[in-house]
Every structure is written in structure tokens, then in C-alpha cells.
């Protein structure tokens, strides 16, 4: 068989690939993770009783904005890491901005607070359970995103796993805000970040094992 005949044979039954296929796959994974996390919060933890009032409070939306902005940056990084040779670029800087902003606000709040009030600003009343609740709520999204990533072509497996973990944890944190009673920025700066760091670390460990192709 001549070369041009082989090429024609191989190309005969090809169909064009949707340029938005990767985005769609991640969209489904995020939707599944967010839905299951929200259902788990409502059924397992319970929505905070004053949620209606909180929806009218700017501070509550600041709390939502923290994991939401991390999720937005993590989406950009994860989609790029799913493709070989694609540069993550500015997504790394975008990932650093939300934690840095929260830490600056937290340190300023602690500096202005009386010494005897600083511990309560940091610990709140749920510091023991908050990080682990976020980690548990991230499991459905973690599984969905790893499954999506396996169907693509990541080459930087540890980073791809870590970003999948961070993305699932960010979405889970948004859902957890429907329950969490803590409204102090120093609390979010430590315990929310720790909760999101757990799936990120697990993803970094499992990435080279589960995402290899």
C-alpha cells in the first residue's frame, strides 16, 4: 500500500473534534461535584438557620468570593494541565491572589483586635471540624475531576492531580459556606485554606499513579 493510500484510509472515517470538548468535560465534572457537595451539606450538615439574613450581608459574599475566586483560577490551570505542552502561565498568579488577599485582611484584623479576642477570631467554634468537612465534601468532585483528567492527555501528572484536588476542594468550600457559621476572616485564612490543602496534597500524591496514560 502506498503512503498516500494509507493516509487516505486512516483519514476516511475521521470526524471533527469539538474545540470545546475539554471545557465541556470539566463542566460536567464540576457540576456533579458541586451538586453532590451541596446535597451533602443540606442533608448531612444542615443549612445555617440565618442564611436568609446572611444573603443580605456583604461579609457573607466575601466569604463565598474567596473559594469562588480560587475555583476560577484552578479551572484555568486544570484545563491547561489536561493538555500536553500547554503553558499554565498567568493562572499561577491568579491562584496566589485569593490566599494572599485573605491573609493580608486577616493580619490587619488581628493587628487591630484586642489581644484577648485574637484567639476567637482565629479558632471560631468549628476549627476542629472545618478542614475535614471540606475535605470530605470534596470527594465527589475529586473523583469526577480525576475521571475527566484520565480521559484527556495530562503530562505533568503531579501538578494535574494537585490542581484537580484544589478545584474539587474549592467547589466543596463554596457549598460548605451554606452551613459554616464562621464569619471572621482570620478563620477562613487558616482553616478554609487547610481544608482545601488536604485534597490538593492528596491529588499531588495520586496524580502520578492515577493519571498516567
Amino acid at each position: 500500500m502506498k503512503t498516500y493510500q494509507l493516509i487516505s484510509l486512516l483519514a476516511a472515517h475521521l470526524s471533527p473534534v469539538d474545540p470545546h470538548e475539554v471545557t465541556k468535560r470539566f463542566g460536567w465534572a464540576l457540576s456533579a461535584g458541586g451538586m453532590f457537595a451541596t446535597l451533602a451539606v443540606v442533608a448531612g450538615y444542615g443549612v445555617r438557620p440565618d442564611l436568609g439574613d446572611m444573603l443580605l450581608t456583604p461579609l457573607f459574599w466575601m466569604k463565598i468570593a474567596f473559594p469562588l475566586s480560587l475555583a476560577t483560577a484552578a479551572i484555568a490551570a486544570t484545563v491547561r494541565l489536561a493538555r500536553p505542552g500547554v503553558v499554565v502561565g498567568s493562572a499561577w498568579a491568579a491562584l496566589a491572589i485569593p490566599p494572599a488577599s485573605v491573609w493580608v485582611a486577616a493580619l490587619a484584623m488581628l493587628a487591630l483586635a484586642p489581644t484577648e479576642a485574637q484567639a476567637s477570631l482565629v479558632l471560631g467554634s468549628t476549627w476542629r471540624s472545618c478542614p475535614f468537612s471540606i475535605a470530605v465534601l470534596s470527594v465527589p468532585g475529586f473523583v469526577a475531576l480525576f475521571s475527566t483528567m484520565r480521559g484527556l492527555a495530562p503530562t505533568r501528572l503531579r501538578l494535574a492531580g494537585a490542581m484537580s484536588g484544589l478545584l474539587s476542594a474549592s467547589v466543596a468550600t463554596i457549598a460548605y459556606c451554606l452551613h459554616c457559621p464562621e464569619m471572621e476572616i482570620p478563620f477562613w485564612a487558616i482553616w478554609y485554606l487547610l481544608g482545601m490543602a488536604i485534597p490538593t496534597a492528596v491529588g499531588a500524591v495520586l496524580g502520578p499513579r492515577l493519571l498516567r496514560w
Side-chain angles (χ1 to χ4, degrees), residues 102-198:
V102 169
W103 267 96
V104 169
L107 291 174
M109 182 174 288
L110 289 172
L112 295 173
T115 303
E116 62 272 14
Q118 291 176 351
S120 64
L121 292 176
V122 171
L123 300 177
S125 60
T126 62
W127 67 274
R128 291 182 179 87
S129 60
C130 174
F132 302 103
S133 295
I134 290 173
V136 169
L137 290 170
S138 72
V139 170
F142 189 97
V143 173
L145 285 166
F146 257 67
S147 177
T148 296
M149 188 69 80
R150 276 180 60 85
L152 298 171
T155 55
R156 292 155 288 181
L157 304 184
R158 196 172 298 279
L159 283 175
M163 284 301 101
S164 297
L166 176 59
L167 181 52
S168 66
S170 301
V171 172
T173 304
I174 296 171
Y176 182 68
C177 287
L178 299 175
H179 162 78
C180 180
E182 310 293 350
M183 296 297 290
E184 305 297 344
I185 296 176
F187 183 94
W188 316 336
I190 296 176
W191 307 111
Y192 277 20
L193 276 177
L194 180 58
M196 289 185 276
I198 295 172

Side-chain angles (χ1 to χ4, degrees), residues 23 29 33 48 58 60 73 79-80 86 88 97 103 106 133 136 138-139 162 172 192:
T23 303
R48 55 184 298 171
F60 177 80
V79 169
R80 294 174 189 179
V86 177
V88 177
I97 293 174
W103 267 96
S133 295
V136 169
S138 72
V139 170
Y192 277 20

Side-chain angles (χ1 to χ4, degrees), residues 17-30 75-86 143-157 160-161 164 167 207 210-213:
V17 176
D18 186 348
H20 304 293
E21 180 64 23
V22 173
T23 303
K24 289 180 179 179
R25 290 191 186 188
F26 278 110
W28 281 111
L30 285 173
I75 289 171
T78 304
V79 169
R80 294 174 189 179
L81 287 167
R83 300 169 175 172
V86 177
V143 173
L145 285 166
F146 257 67
S147 177
T148 296
M149 188 69 80
R150 276 180 60 85
L152 298 171
T155 55
R156 292 155 288 181
L157 304 184
S164 297
L167 181 52
L210 299 183
L211 300 179
R212 191 176 300 279
W213 52 282

Side-chain angles (χ1 to χ4, degrees), residues 17-55:
V17 176
D18 186 348
H20 304 293
E21 180 64 23
V22 173
T23 303
K24 289 180 179 179
R25 290 191 186 188
F26 278 110
W28 281 111
L30 285 173
S31 298
M35 180 184 68
F36 280 108
T38 302
L39 289 175
V41 167
V42 173
Y45 292 87
V47 174
R48 55 184 298 171
D50 61 346
L51 182 60
D53 295 332
M54 287 295 102
L55 293 177

